[in-house]
């Protein structure tokens, strides 16, 4: 193999049950064998599930590898661990692919660098919630991204960002491009269904709600149950032609659960 470039795609599904094997040691061939083959080639790349982490590699392989996480239409689909001629100069890479209805790639965005955690808010912040592309977050490159765009995490490890300043969602969307979606925070309330329902009725008074979407991080609440309950409480009208979509983020900030009522994400143009 030392004179060829090798692409290795181990089987990740159990043929008898049809279930995916999450543990890379259970792939066929196992991760250790795939890495050994890739390292023995002139250049080698191993296709893996997106849950792979550098810590999953043997200590002797970690510094020799670059890892790329790939997202398609907002969903993490795979990771590629590369060595030799296939290795990137930077240790981590994020790629985001937007596909059309026919499956063809409409746009491909990529960035690479050295991961680091984003800064954490230490004072007042702006009223925009910035949700990250999954590949950017999984690669750890949301730290450099946050520093570049003057964004902070409201709490360590939350995976969502807010601006330090008073930039609007439209201004931020133009700044961060395809790597994040920006939503104006309308209000912050206690994280219980009654308080959030009251806030939705107040914030969208006179405008029919076509849909309510509840999002969370680290399973802070049951988002599906909240979505159903809030739709019942506020009287969602799915057929309303002029109806609006409201979104609610229920997040654990420190030792408290807080709910944020936000607008739909600002469309990314260009």
């Amino acid at each position: 193999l030392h004179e060829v470039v090798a692409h290795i795609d181990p089987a990740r599904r159990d043929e008898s049950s049809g279930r995916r094997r999450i543990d890379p040691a259970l792939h066929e061939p196992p991760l250790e064998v795939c890495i050994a083959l890739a390292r023995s080639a002139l250049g080698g790349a191993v296709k893996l599930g997106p849950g792979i982490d550098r810590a999953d590699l043997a200590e002797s392989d970690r510094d020799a590898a670059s890892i790329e996480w790939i997202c398609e239409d907002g969903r993490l689909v795979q990771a590629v661990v590369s060595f030799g001629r296939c290795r990137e100069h930077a240790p981590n890479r994020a790629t985001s692919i937007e596909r059309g209805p026919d499956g063809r790639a409409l746009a491909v965005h990529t960035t690479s660098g050295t991961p680091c955690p984003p800064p954490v808010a230490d004072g007042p912040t702006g009223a925009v919630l910035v949700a990250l592309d999954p590949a950017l977050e999984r690669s750890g490159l949301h730290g450099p991204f946050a520093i570049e765009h003057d964004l902070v995490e409201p709490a360590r490890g939350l995976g969502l960002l807010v601006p330090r300043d008073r930039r609007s969602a439209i201004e931020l969307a133009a700044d961060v491009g395809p790597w994040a979606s920006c939503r104006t925070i309308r209000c912050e309330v206690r994280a219980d269904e009654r308080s959030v329902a009251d806030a939705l009725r107040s914030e969208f008074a006179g405008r029919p709600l076509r849909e309510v979407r509840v999002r969370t991080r680290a399973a802070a609440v049951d988002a599906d149950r909240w979505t159903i309950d809030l739709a019942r409480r506020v009287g969602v009208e799915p057929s309303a032609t002029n109806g609006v979509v409201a979104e609610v983020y229920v997040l654990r900030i420190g030792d408290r659960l807080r709910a944020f009522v936000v607008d739909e994400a600002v469309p990314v143009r260009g």
Side-chain angles (χ1 to χ4, degrees):
L1 287 176
H2 65 281
E3 294 182 351
V4 302
V5 172
H7 177 264
I8 303 167
D9 186 1
R12 290 181 277 155
R13 194 178 294 277
D14 186 305
E15 291 186 3
S16 60
S17 66
R19 295 179 179 176
R20 285 194 178 276
R21 300 186 182 99
I22 303 301
D23 185 352
L26 300 178
H27 294 172
E28 296 181 3
L31 177 62
E32 183 179 357
V33 174
C34 293
I35 296 300
L37 290 171
R39 292 206 67 173
S40 66
L42 182 66
V46 183
K47 178 182 174 182
L48 298 167
I52 193 71
D53 189 86
R54 193 169 295 275
D56 295 323
L57 306 181
E59 190 170 351
S60 59
D61 296 324
R62 293 173 191 171
D63 290 341
S66 65
I67 306 180
E68 178 183 20
W69 285 267
I70 300 172
C71 176
E72 292 188 5
D73 295 328
R75 185 174 64 91
L76 273 173
V77 293
Q78 63 178 285
V80 179
V81 181
S82 300
F83 298 90
R85 292 277 183 90
C86 296
R87 185 186 186 277
E88 295 283 335
H89 291 296
N92 286 12
R93 182 183 180 97
T95 296
S96 182
I97 303 171
E98 301 171 27
R99 296 194 181 277
D102 60 358
R104 294 183 181 181
L106 299 178
V108 178
H109 311 283
T110 188
T111 185
S112 57
T114 300
C116 71
V120 177
D122 57 1
T125 59
V128 179
L129 196 63
V130 181
L132 299 157
D133 179 277
L136 187 74
E137 181 181 356
R138 188 71 186 85
S139 67
L141 297 178
H142 62 311
F145 174 86
I147 294 168
E148 177 185 356
H149 297 288
D150 199 22
L151 304 170
V152 294
E153 276 188 316
R156 172 66 69 202
L158 189 63
L160 295 164
L161 304 173
V162 293
R164 293 183 188 272
D165 54 25
R166 295 297 173 179
R167 281 172 290 174
S168 69
I170 293 175
E171 290 170 326
L172 267 175
D175 188 25
V176 302
W179 290 110
S181 56
C182 301
R183 297 165 170 83
T184 299
I185 299 173
R186 285 178 165 262
C187 64
E188 176 184 350
V189 297
R190 287 173 44 191
D192 64 76
E193 289 97 325
R194 176 176 294 180
S195 298
V196 175
D198 288 344
L200 288 169
R201 283 189 288 264
S202 173
E203 292 295 327
F204 296 96
R207 305 168 67 189
L209 284 174
R210 178 165 48 86
E211 184 182 357
V212 175
R213 301 170 183 161
V214 177
R215 306 176 189 272
T216 189
R217 300 304 299 260
V221 297
D222 184 336
D224 291 336
R225 183 181 66 79
W226 271 64
T227 296
I228 294 169
D229 187 66
L230 288 175
R232 178 183 59 82
R233 288 175 181 268
V234 302
V236 163
E237 303 175 39
S239 60
T241 55
N242 61 337
V244 297
V245 176
E247 297 190 1
V248 178
Y249 276 79
V250 185
L251 307 170
R252 186 170 297 282
I253 309 294
D255 59 354
R256 296 187 307 158
L257 273 180
R258 302 298 295 172
F260 300 83
V261 176
V262 303
D263 285 332
E264 277 191 280
V266 173
V268 177
R269 293 181 170 83

